[in-house]
């Protein structure tokens, strides 16, 4: 993993994002440090997932700046202006950023093993034998080595999400973004996915997790950020934000979900 613990991995400064006349992000600023687990909580429509998608330039930003490992993602600066960079330049930077989506986005025509291998082989040019060995190790890590030859349709939702995490890890990212990784799962499958993410946290992986699993956020996060209406209302340790919130809007949200 790149970066020394404490180094700033992700820096957002006054990030704004508009969809038509609606401003979804209204000047979001935060820093994520190497080895930190940040959980972003808040009501639906608060801009959490949009912010995550802006980090790796799946969405353009309309104002402010986002840097990952000191580099702008999706843009380059010339003088005082930002210009959109080529898709190829962005793709190179994205290799350091993994993303796990709500929907698993596995290739249905590929086996579990092939789904995990495809990124390193196609994007990084990793020899197939090496990619296969790494993929099997990662499937072991998420408890699915015995399903390597299965197809996604043969797996439960929780198993598919664990394959999606293994596929992300196969690209050896330095930062992983999780967008509500358990929201599409039946309740009994949630714990198996959270267990894998918990292990990654224990290993020191830098992660930003948008989640509605409050108990999990309290347990695993170094920093909890509460967002509402496109703004960061407050941030701090899990105990500060979830146990002793300062802002009325945060108190209201915490009371509603209890």
């Amino acid at each position: 993993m790149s970066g020394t613990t404490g180094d700033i991995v992700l820096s957002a400064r006054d990030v704004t994002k508009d969809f038509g006349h609606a401003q979804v992000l209204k000047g979001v600023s935060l820093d994520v440090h190497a080895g930190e687990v940040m959980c972003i909580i808040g009501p639906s429509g608060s801009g959490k997932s949009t912010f995550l998608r802006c980090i790796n330039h799946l969405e353009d930003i309309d104002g402010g700046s986002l840097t990952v490992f000191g580099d702008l993602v999706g843009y380059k600066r010339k003088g005082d202006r930002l210009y959109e960079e080529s898709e190829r330049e962005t793709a190179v930077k994205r290799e350091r950023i993994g993303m796990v989506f709500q929907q698993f986005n596995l290739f249905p025509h590929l086996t579990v093993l092939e789904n995990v291998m495809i990124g390193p082989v196609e994007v990084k040019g990793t020899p197939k034998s090496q990619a296969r060995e790494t993929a099997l190790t990662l499937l072991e890590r998420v408890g699915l080595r015995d399903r390597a030859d299965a197809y996604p349709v043969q797996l439960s939702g929780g198993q598919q999400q664990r394959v999606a995490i293994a596929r992300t890890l196969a690209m050896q990212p330095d930062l992983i973004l999780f967008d509500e990784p358990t929201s599409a799962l039946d309740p009994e499958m949630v714990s198996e996915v959270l267990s894998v993410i918990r292990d990654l946290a224990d290993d020191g992986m830098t992660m930003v997790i948008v989640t509605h699993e409050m108990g999990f956020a309290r347990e695993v996060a170094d920093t909890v950020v509460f967002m509402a209406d496109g703004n960061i209302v407050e941030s701090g340790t899990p105990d500060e934000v979830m146990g002793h919130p300062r802002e009325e809007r945060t108190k209201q949200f915490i009371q509603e979900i209890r």
Side-chain angles (χ1 to χ4, degrees), residues 23-258:
Q23 191 171 40
V24 180
L25 299 176
K26 301 175 181 177
V28 172
S29 297
L30 55 77
D31 290 326
V32 178
H33 296 80
E36 181 178 1
V37 179
M38 177 179 285
C39 286
I40 304 179
I41 63 172
S44 297
S46 58
K48 307 183 301 294
S49 292
T50 297
F51 176 64
L52 219 59
R53 291 174 64 83
C54 288
I55 293 171
N56 60 1
H57 201 57
L58 292 176
E59 298 283 359
D60 299 335
I61 62 174
D62 293 303
S65 66
L66 267 168
T67 59
V68 180
F69 303 102
D71 291 327
L72 294 164
V73 180
Y75 303 92
K76 49 192 170 188
R77 188 181 299 279
K78 291 183 181 176
D80 293 332
R81 300 193 63 182
L82 294 181
Y83 295 87
E84 196 148 3
E85 64 187 3
S86 71
E87 181 58 37
R88 181 169 183 165
E89 290 172 305
T90 299
V92 170
K93 293 177 182 176
R94 275 201 194 114
E95 286 185 21
R96 301 187 72 180
I97 310 169
M99 186 154 184
V100 178
F101 298 88
Q102 295 179 34
Q103 303 298 333
F104 324 119
N105 295 348
L106 299 177
F107 294 110
H109 63 290
L110 299 180
T111 65
V112 164
L113 181 62
E114 290 166 341
N115 264 284
V116 179
M117 287 174 58
I118 191 170
V121 171
E122 297 293 331
V123 177
K124 292 193 166 185
T126 305
K128 283 189 176 181
S129 59
Q130 182 183 333
R132 174 185 170 83
E133 188 176 327
T134 300
L136 287 170
T137 299
L138 290 171
L139 288 172
E140 179 82 44
R141 181 173 185 177
V142 301
L144 288 171
R145 186 176 176 130
D146 62 331
R147 305 309 306 275
D149 296 325
Y151 287 88
V153 71
Q154 298 171 304
L155 304 181
S156 70
Q159 288 172 328
Q160 289 187 61
Q161 190 63 294
R162 283 187 280 156
V163 174
I165 293 171
R167 179 184 58 186
T168 297
L169 292 172
M171 294 297 289
Q172 299 180 304
D174 297 308
L175 166 67
I176 302 182
L177 313 175
F178 289 88
D179 185 13
E180 295 275 17
T182 60
S183 66
L185 302 179
D186 293 331
E188 64 269 22
M189 296 173 187
V190 168
S191 62
E192 65 190 56
V193 173
L194 295 183
S195 177
V196 172
I197 300 173
R198 193 178 290 113
D199 287 345
L200 292 175
D202 290 342
D203 287 347
M205 173 62 75
T206 309
M207 297 185 283
V208 180
I209 307 169
V210 170
T211 185
H212 61 274
E213 300 287 343
M214 296 298 112
F216 173 72
R218 182 184 279 274
E219 176 192 347
V220 80
D222 298 300
T223 305
V224 172
V225 172
F226 173 67
M227 285 184 68
D229 304 316
N231 293 300
I232 292 178
V233 177
E234 67 178 292
S235 64
T237 66
D239 186 58
E240 287 169 343
V241 175
M242 304 172 75
H244 303 88
R246 300 181 304 276
E247 302 296 329
E248 201 56 46
R249 184 68 183 86
T250 317
K251 292 176 185 176
Q252 178 188 345
F253 175 76
I254 298 296
Q255 286 172 352
E256 285 173 355
I257 60 174
R258 276 184 179 149

